[in-house]
Amino acid sequence: MRKMVNLVFHGIDDPPRQLEPGEERVWVTSRQLEFALDSVAEHPWVGISFDDGNASDLRIALPSLAQRNLKAIFFITVGRLNVPGYLDPHGVRELSRAGMVIGCHGMTHQRWRGLPAVRLREETLDAKNALEQVLGHAVTTVACPYGSYDRRSLFACRQAGYRHVLTCDRLSSSPDAWLQHRSMIFRHHNAAGILHIIDGELHGLRLIRQRLRVLLKHWI
Ligand SMILES: [Zn+2]
């Protein structure tokens, strides 16, 4: 079976809120999004996801996906529901009703590496429970904010009952793997850069280096 290449987008077009430091690098234009989605339509091994629960998920991403008959996973920062610039519970339910998968992106959008157990439980289990209350059905997938995880946070995800954890480790993954890697689409990516990511894996030394990095994260 061919491995999946998973893409991750964040906000689209002009941000309606103050961005976090460095966040502007991951806001893309609707032109970039549409180019990527048109390219993905020809590649069934590519998965699409959107992180953070921005208002542009509903306003821009959903119609762009629907036009192309594509599905995606939307990872919601649960503690930011109702914060201006982000989705509200109604918007999350609308995405779900449109056939999109809703996943959890933690409660407060912080790095999971090194968090104490009680905070990890809030970010994984409490956030999952709160999102399930909004949706009225189970949430089985989680994406760690900033792609930051370690052995303990993966254990917390298992304890919380997630079936898949999504990272930003730029590797391809088997569709049924517990840990699924993704590649971020950045604002600086041009068409060739986007196609390069969609086309697949890192090769040679870069691939070996990245696999080692991922291996270390599991054990430290
Ligand atoms: Zn995020």
Side-chain angles (χ1 to χ4, degrees):
M1 187 192 305
R2 174 155 189 167
K3 287 188 168 186
M4 295 287 292
V5 173
N6 295 306
L7 308 182
V8 52
F9 297 91
H10 294 76
I12 305 146
D13 285 344
D14 293 329
R17 60 177 171 82
Q18 184 82 35
L19 296 184
E20 293 179 14
E23 194 187 351
E24 67 285 349
R25 295 182 310 129
V26 296
W27 276 70
V28 298
T29 62
S30 42
R31 222 173 134 203
Q32 282 174 293
L33 175 72
E34 290 189 357
F35 176 80
L37 295 185
D38 284 338
S39 309
V40 164
E42 297 155 23
H43 298 87
W45 61 86
V46 178
I48 308 161
S49 58
F50 293 82
D51 278 9
D52 298 346
N54 286 294
S56 58
D57 289 354
L58 188 64
R59 202 167 49 80
I60 302 171
L62 181 63
S64 299
L65 289 160
Q67 266 173 22
R68 295 162 177 83
N69 210 16
L70 292 170
K71 300 284 185 236
I73 310 182
F74 289 85
F75 289 97
I76 310 299
T77 307
V78 180
R80 292 184 181 170
L81 284 170
N82 289 321
V83 171
Y86 292 92
L87 294 169
D88 60 16
H90 175 78
V92 173
R93 286 190 289 268
E94 207 172 320
L95 288 170
S96 174
R97 273 198 302 271
M100 303 295 145
V101 176
I102 305 298
C104 181
H105 198 40
M107 190 69 91
T108 61
H109 206 266
Q110 60 180 293
R111 292 171 201 280
W112 288 356
R113 276 183 80 81
L115 272 191
V118 63
R119 293 286 305 108
L120 278 175
R121 194 185 147 93
E122 284 167 19
E123 296 294 331
T124 55
L125 182 62
D126 294 357
K128 180 179 191 282
N129 289 339
L131 194 52
E132 288 176 346
Q133 287 278 319
V134 167
L135 288 165
H137 61 74
V139 172
T140 59
T141 305
V142 67
C144 38
Y146 307 100
S148 163
Y149 66 92
D150 54 13
R151 190 166 50 88
R152 291 172 56 260
S153 48
L154 292 183
F155 181 69
C157 291
R158 276 208 195 273
Q159 295 283 92
Y162 289 108
R163 277 192 232 136
H164 301 286
V165 180
L166 278 81
T167 76
C168 298
D169 283 332
R170 294 185 300 147
L171 293 170
S172 55
S173 311
S174 301
D176 51 356
W178 146 254
L179 204 61
Q180 300 263 337
H181 304 301
R182 303 181 296 169
S183 297
M184 280 202 254
I185 303 293
F186 288 95
R187 193 174 194 97
H188 72 255
H189 279 133
N190 59 16
I194 292 171
L195 287 177
H196 181 71
I197 289 171
I198 288 172
D199 264 350
E201 294 200 36
L202 300 170
H203 294 284
L205 265 183
R206 289 181 68 199
L207 176 62
I208 293 166
R209 261 204 307 267
Q210 190 58 15
R211 283 191 176 150
L212 274 174
R213 259 187 222 128
V214 171
L215 205 65
L216 280 173
K217 281 197 213 175
H218 279 258
W219 294 106
I220 297 174

